[in-house]
Amino acid sequence: MVIDMLHIKSLEEGLDIFKALGSEVRIGIIKNLSENRGMNMNELAAKLNITNGALTGHIKKLEDCGLVTVSNESGGHGNEKKCSVCLDKILIEMDTQEDYKNIYQTDLKVGHFSDYKVYPTCGLASGTAIIGEVDDTRYFSHPDRYSADILWFTRGYVEYVIPNFIPFAQKIDQLTISLEIGSEAPGVNDIWPSDISFILNDKKVATWTSPGDFGNVTGIFTPDWWYPNWNQYGLLKILVINKKGTFIDGLQVSDVSIQDFSLDYRSTIKLKLAVEDNAEHVGGLTIFGKNFGNYNQDISIRMNYSPIAEQENEANKG
């Protein structure tokens, strides 16, 4: 199974992966495994023209840093070791942190939305049970929604108030939001595009098209009681808004910058996740939190902040 993306937040954090990829043989292993959707050890050794013993050492290095998985499969000659790539994207943050020395981090549970307007198919669930009734929008206002670790709807939106507890007299220079999301199809459908909009304080900053509603294999953290023909996992998306613009997974998607919001320690910050009626692909939205999907996280928020300049302070007092 391919887990969409690994997010490396500093060069130091990625050192083991960089070392593992610093070999033409290991690059060849990754390339062949990706092209063939996995291979057994004998096939791979023959393809690369190396011995099984040499291959084992290379595979161990790739396995130790999480790039490759090895599993036992029954074959015509007994058990065979099957190798697969478990990442298809690595995002590395190259920015130095000199301008971002001060960081406030927090998490939002999937069910902690403050406003919503959703349409069936829809529903919510905690890690242990469905909340209320599926396809009954009233349960999006039920108190039990606060325990939700997954929610889904065909169109509409949910809106969250992002906790803002940066220190007094500070301004926000960069906002980073990380979450696991996907489409919402009747049942599941890996080819089910959906245009998902990110709206900050009523201003659309980005739209990302989810390729599908994934259910081909069970999500790593999806509980055993979950229905096999329902959403299993999504894709990890990282939205960054800074002075240069708005980025998703490191690629600039709009010119909307953090300066457009003038956010500081007093600001209310609202994040709306929407599938709009006029979108080209109205394919729904599923948000995965802890206990579901392939990433054991809720909606993760990071704010980089710095002091408000003295002239700005004076202007704000006036």
Side-chain angles (χ1 to χ4, degrees):
M1 175 181 57
V2 173
I3 302 174
D4 179 50
M5 181 173 65
L6 173 67
H7 181 203
I8 297 174
K9 298 176 183 177
S10 69
L11 293 176
E12 291 79 7
E13 184 181 313
L15 191 57
D16 287 343
I17 287 178
F18 303 149
K19 288 179 179 178
L21 293 175
S23 157
E24 288 187 15
V25 173
R26 291 194 284 276
I27 292 294
I29 291 171
I30 296 287
K31 183 177 178 182
N32 278 280
L33 293 180
S34 298
E35 290 175 351
N36 294 282
R37 295 181 177 243
M39 301 172 71
N40 67 45
M41 295 283 279
N42 292 331
E43 293 171 335
L44 191 53
K47 183 76 173 178
L48 296 169
N49 197 27
I50 60 176
T51 66
N52 277 42
L55 176 62
T56 299
H58 289 297
I59 289 292
K60 181 70 166 57
K61 281 186 168 63
L62 294 172
E63 189 179 16
D64 286 347
C65 65
L67 291 172
V68 164
T69 58
V70 180
S71 58
N72 290 318
E73 284 196 350
S74 297
H77 303 285
N79 288 336
E80 295 180 337
K81 287 190 174 182
K82 173 80 176 288
C83 304
S84 303
V85 176
C86 54
L87 293 170
D88 63 5
K89 186 183 296 183
I90 300 174
L91 174 62
I92 305 167
E93 290 194 19
M94 297 289 290
D95 286 344
T96 64
Q97 294 299 307
E98 291 180 3
D99 296 331
Y100 301 129
K101 294 178 182 178
N102 301 312
I103 298 174
Y104 169 73
Q105 291 184 281
T106 189
D107 292 316
L108 274 170
K109 281 189 70 68
V110 168
H112 282 200
F113 50 87
S114 57
D115 191 17
Y116 73 93
K117 184 177 182 181
V118 299
Y119 295 87
T121 53
C122 64
L124 314 94
S126 69
T128 57
I130 299 291
I131 295 171
E133 300 290 336
V134 172
D135 295 339
D136 187 339
T137 61
R138 294 177 300 169
Y139 285 97
F140 276 70
S141 61
H142 194 283
D144 288 350
R145 79 172 193 271
Y146 291 112
S147 65
D149 290 314
I150 186 173
L151 66 79
W152 64 96
F153 55 86
T154 298
R155 59 187 175 91
Y157 68 85
V158 287
E159 185 173 62
Y160 299 86
V161 175
I162 295 176
N164 177 10
F165 294 105
I166 66 171
F168 179 80
Q170 304 289 306
K171 60 182 175 66
I172 297 173
D173 300 313
Q174 178 168 291
L175 179 63
T176 303
I177 300 166
S178 167
L179 73 172
E180 183 177 355
I181 53 177
S183 307
E184 160 53 22
V188 293
N189 189 335
D190 288 357
I191 304 174
W192 190 264
S194 185
D195 297 334
I196 299 167
S197 294
F198 298 83
I199 300 167
L200 190 72
N201 286 1
D202 296 321
K203 185 179 183 68
K204 187 187 295 187
V205 297
T207 298
W208 171 71
T209 301
S210 168
D213 178 4
F214 303 110
N216 56 327
V217 293
T218 303
I220 293 174
F221 298 102
T222 299
D224 293 339
W225 65 265
W226 189 248
Y227 304 98
N229 60 333
W230 284 14
N231 327 52
Q232 294 295 320
Y233 64 94
L235 302 178
L236 185 67
K237 295 290 108 182
I238 299 173
L239 176 78
V240 175
I241 308 171
N242 59 29
K243 61 185 178 182
K244 299 176 184 177
T246 299
F247 302 77
I248 292 181
D249 298 345
L251 299 176
Q252 186 164 5
V253 292
S254 83
D255 293 327
V256 179
S257 70
I258 200 70
Q259 291 95 321
D260 293 324
F261 299 96
S262 301
L263 300 175
D264 63 23
Y265 65 102
R266 299 158 299 188
S267 299
T268 298
I269 308 172
K270 294 184 179 181
L271 172 68
K272 183 181 291 184
L273 302 170
V275 178
E276 299 173 298
D277 290 342
N278 61 355
E280 181 179 353
H281 304 104
V282 182
L285 170 63
T286 303
I287 307 175
F288 299 82
K290 283 188 176 178
N291 302 313
F292 282 89
N294 284 343
Y295 301 88
N296 193 26
Q297 68 166 68
D298 294 315
I299 301 171
S300 179
I301 312 291
R302 187 172 68 190
M303 300 178 192
N304 302 94
Y305 61 87
S306 63
I308 298 174
E310 285 189 17
Q311 58 267 33
E312 291 179 286
N313 268 321
E314 292 300 322
N316 289 334
K317 289 177 183 177

